Amino acid sequence: VQKFPQWASRNADGSISKKNGFDWLSPINPEVQTFINALVSEVITTYDVDGVEFSDRIPAMPVEGGYDSVTVALYKLEHSGNTPPVNPRDAAWMRWRADKMNQWYADVRSIIKAKSSHLFVSSSPSIFPWSYQEYLQDVQGWIDSGIADHFIPQLYRYSFSDYAFELQNAIAQAGTKKKILFPGILMNLGTGASEYVIPADYLMKAMAENRKQGVNGEAFFYYEGLRKNNGKLGDTLKATYYKEKALVPERGESEWRFPASVVNETDSAVTKQGVWIQYLMKGFEGSVLRSNDSVPGAVLSYTVHVPAAGYYDLFTYRVPNTPWNSKARYTVHTSSDSMLFLVDQTDLTKKGWQPLGTFHLNAGMQNILTLDNSQGVPGRYTVADAAMITINRMLSPDVVLSAEVKDAPPISVPERYCILENYPNPFNPSTMLRYTVPQDGNVRLMVFDLLGREVRVLADGWQRKGEYSVVFHADGLSAGVYFAHLSAGPHRTARKLMLNK
């Protein structure tokens, strides 16, 4: 507001709209809309999110507002030059402002869905009709028009009877779209002597009432309450209503973030060559295996079930120690290539699950990782423990995974898709990017920083179908995360790059 005073919502007397302790921007001002749209785009592009939630603050404006110069000019343009009514609660004037916010909200939804149809648009407004009367939030319009994938009304009440009453109102408002209703429950608020934590019996009654009314999910505010009293509320939910996995209907009952596929070094899916001896040092599960580097030829190969073709983050579990190998050789087998990593197993700062990188893997049982002691030093040891993959949702936004991961048949994917990988990663000062062009056409490979600013154009022009490589030199750039974006005809993909200095 200080930097862009024209963005502020203003009351009829010209003062900045202030309500509930906030100074308000005007959500009808196109510049404000562009600003919020940019924030939304940055979040869904840069971060691995499941969607975006808009609360009782957005899109919203105090009913007293709307008298800023930009909003007034828009109103006059659509009303033959007439100024808005002086009474901020004039029904037609309220409706006009609410409709303007609805138009913008529909545009925000389009931005999110353009990134991926699987990203959710969620709304958690105050209860109706107060939300409309005081903040012009047309919640009913959002439900009826399909803007909101999830309707999360803030049913924050301190007694079960009050909660049950508001739940009935919310069900009536959702109507035939009750499946998108996930009521908000006040679980924890405040600190110290004034802190509120929902009583366990009230929580259980609320959960029972939700299920009785056919409501199959809820949201908690604040979630920290799950951990209060040594985790009592969280443990109670896990033992009762949350015993089973939650599979979201809008995603085809798929396990969107499936449990990580973990393979322990002693599992049958791991094949061994050479001499590996159990060493009684606590690893991920049980002890670890180690090979004496004085005896070359020790090799471990990890086979993992990959539920669908896509990009996965690959981790190894490490138990560092000074006698270990400083150049343990890991080879990652991707859908199109193999990549070599030398890992310092003596680095005491790298303990537990450590990432090797993000890679494109084909569906099915895949030999994704090999560890050997070929780079070892006599008298030292190469140590083996578990490996794990997790889906990278930012790079695989549309991959659908079966709920029963272990028994799922491979999911078919189009034969032609573009692949983008790099080695090394992290890197300094340069890294080799390798990519495939699935068909003849225009190709553009660019690198962006975290703010979405273009820092390099590595390829721009017509290329034949095939495999290519190019070096990204990061001279002059600051350390941090960058993103390589590849477009090849209708195909798009991206890769996260980590520059260390």
Side-chain angles (χ1 to χ4, degrees):
V1 172
Q2 291 177 345
K3 188 173 183 179
F4 302 101
Q6 73 275 17
W7 287 11
S9 173
R10 296 188 179 272
N11 299 334
D13 61 5
S15 61
I16 294 176
S17 299
K18 297 177 183 291
K19 197 163 186 170
N20 200 29
F22 296 99
D23 290 356
W24 286 76
L25 302 181
S26 170
I28 298 175
N29 186 319
E31 291 184 0
V32 174
Q33 296 178 0
T34 299
F35 173 64
I36 301 299
N37 291 352
L39 292 179
V40 170
S41 296
E42 179 181 343
V43 167
I44 64 177
T45 301
T46 307
Y47 302 102
D48 181 6
V49 299
D50 286 328
V52 182
E53 179 203 349
F54 300 90
S55 71
D56 55 342
R57 305 284 178 254
I58 182 169
M61 70 184 304
V63 68
E64 298 84 1
Y67 294 93
D68 57 280
S69 60
V70 174
T71 302
V72 170
L74 288 173
Y75 182 89
K76 291 171 69 175
L77 186 65
E78 297 181 12
H79 293 82
S80 304
N82 295 320
T83 58
V86 176
N87 176 15
R89 296 183 183 274
D90 177 88
W93 171 224
M94 290 177 65
R95 184 71 261 167
W96 183 85
R97 286 174 289 171
D99 286 343
K100 288 298 180 186
M101 290 193 292
N102 288 356
Q103 293 171 15
W104 172 39
Y105 202 8
D107 290 340
V108 174
R109 176 184 173 84
S110 297
I111 292 172
I112 295 171
K113 294 298 182 179
K115 171 65 177 177
S116 171
S117 62
H118 293 291
L119 291 176
F120 290 127
V121 180
S122 300
S123 291
S124 56
S126 301
I127 58 174
F128 189 82
W130 190 85
S131 53
Y132 180 79
Q133 294 169 349
E134 296 299 324
Y135 290 99
L136 301 173
Q137 290 198 301
D138 183 18
V139 180
Q140 194 67 58
W142 304 343
I143 296 172
D144 294 342
S145 65
I147 291 177
D149 295 315
H150 294 159
F151 170 40
I152 311 173
Q154 298 180 7
L155 309 187
Y156 302 160
R157 295 296 181 266
Y158 291 95
S159 72
F160 169 70
S161 59
D162 289 342
Y163 174 83
F165 175 80
E166 296 297 349
L167 176 63
Q168 288 298 323
N169 291 337
I171 291 173
Q173 188 174 15
T176 59
K177 295 186 176 182
K178 188 168 65 173
K179 71 174 184 177
I180 74 170
L181 170 61
F182 303 98
I185 297 176
L186 183 61
M187 175 168 276
N188 181 213
L189 188 66
T191 58
S194 61
E195 182 180 29
Y196 168 80
V197 179
I198 189 171
D201 60 340
Y202 170 12
L203 175 60
M204 288 295 99
K205 288 180 180 178
M207 297 292 295
E209 187 67 16
N210 287 350
R211 300 301 179 265
K212 176 183 176 182
Q213 299 297 334
V215 174
N216 293 317
E218 42 280 320
F220 298 114
F221 180 85
Y222 288 106
Y223 73 87
E224 284 87 350
L226 292 165
R227 298 181 178 139
K228 296 295 180 180
N229 302 322
N230 295 319
K232 178 181 178 181
L233 296 179
D235 291 343
T236 300
L237 287 173
K238 187 175 181 180
T240 54
Y241 292 96
Y242 290 173
K243 286 197 300 184
E244 303 298 328
K245 294 178 181 180
L247 301 178
V248 183
E250 291 89 337
R251 287 180 174 150
E253 299 289 351
S254 65
E255 194 155 9
W256 187 245
R257 293 189 180 278
F258 76 104
S261 288
V262 179
V263 179
N264 210 40
E265 76 280 3
T266 56
D267 291 348
S268 59
V270 176
T271 59
K272 305 176 183 66
Q273 300 177 34
V275 180
W276 291 92
I277 304 296
Q278 183 181 27
Y279 185 71
L280 296 178
M281 182 176 187
K282 182 173 174 52
F284 170 70
E285 188 176 280
S287 56
V288 300
L289 295 179
R290 73 176 188 178
S291 68
N292 191 322
D293 291 348
S294 300
V295 183
V299 181
L300 251 70
S301 296
Y302 296 77
T303 298
V304 177
H305 182 272
V306 182
Y311 284 93
Y312 292 82
D313 298 322
L314 172 60
F315 300 82
T316 59
Y317 196 86
R318 301 184 198 169
V319 284
N321 202 357
T322 50
W324 296 167
N325 188 349
S326 62
K327 293 183 179 180
R329 197 172 89 148
Y330 286 90
T331 305
V332 178
H333 309 287
T334 72
S335 59
S336 62
D337 204 352
S338 295
M339 299 182 185
L340 176 64
F341 297 86
L342 296 179
V343 172
D344 183 0
Q345 296 186 332
T346 70
D347 187 349
L348 299 179
T349 66
K350 302 294 186 182
K351 186 177 181 180
W353 288 114
Q354 299 294 325
L356 276 181
T358 303
F359 311 97
H360 192 279
L361 303 176
N362 287 329
M365 297 299 295
Q366 301 291 336
N367 174 17
I368 63 168
L369 183 66
T370 302
L371 168 64
D372 67 65
N373 70 346
S374 62
Q375 299 294 312
V377 175
R380 290 184 173 270
Y381 298 89
T382 297
V383 178
D385 207 308
M388 171 177 70
I389 61 169
T390 60
I391 188 74
N392 186 301
R393 275 292 166 209
M394 193 171 73
L395 298 181
S396 301
D398 297 314
V399 172
V400 177
L401 305 174
S402 168
E404 296 298 329
V405 176
K406 291 185 178 180
D407 301 326
I411 298 174
S412 61
V413 296
E415 291 183 358
R416 296 190 293 182
Y417 53 88
C418 53
I419 298 172
L420 175 61
E421 298 175 331
N422 76 300
Y423 178 80
N425 196 25
F427 68 96
N428 180 28
S430 61
T431 183
M432 174 77 74
L433 284 95
R434 307 162 95 174
Y435 62 96
T436 61
V437 177
Q439 60 193 69
D440 297 354
N442 289 319
V443 174
R444 188 169 175 82
L445 176 60
M446 299 173 291
V447 178
F448 298 87
D449 63 15
L450 267 176
L451 298 179
R453 297 175 298 198
E454 179 184 301
V455 298
R456 294 284 192 278
V457 177
L458 303 179
D460 188 11
W462 190 88
Q463 293 184 352
R464 288 188 177 277
K465 174 183 177 181
E467 298 183 358
Y468 296 84
S469 63
V470 63
V471 177
F472 168 40
H473 297 284
D475 301 327
L477 298 179
S478 301
V481 176
Y482 294 83
F483 291 92
H485 288 250
L486 173 67
S487 60
H491 305 278
R492 301 287 187 274
T493 190
R495 182 165 179 79
K496 182 167 66 175
L497 313 176
M498 176 64 72
L499 173 59
N500 288 343
K501 286 192 175 181

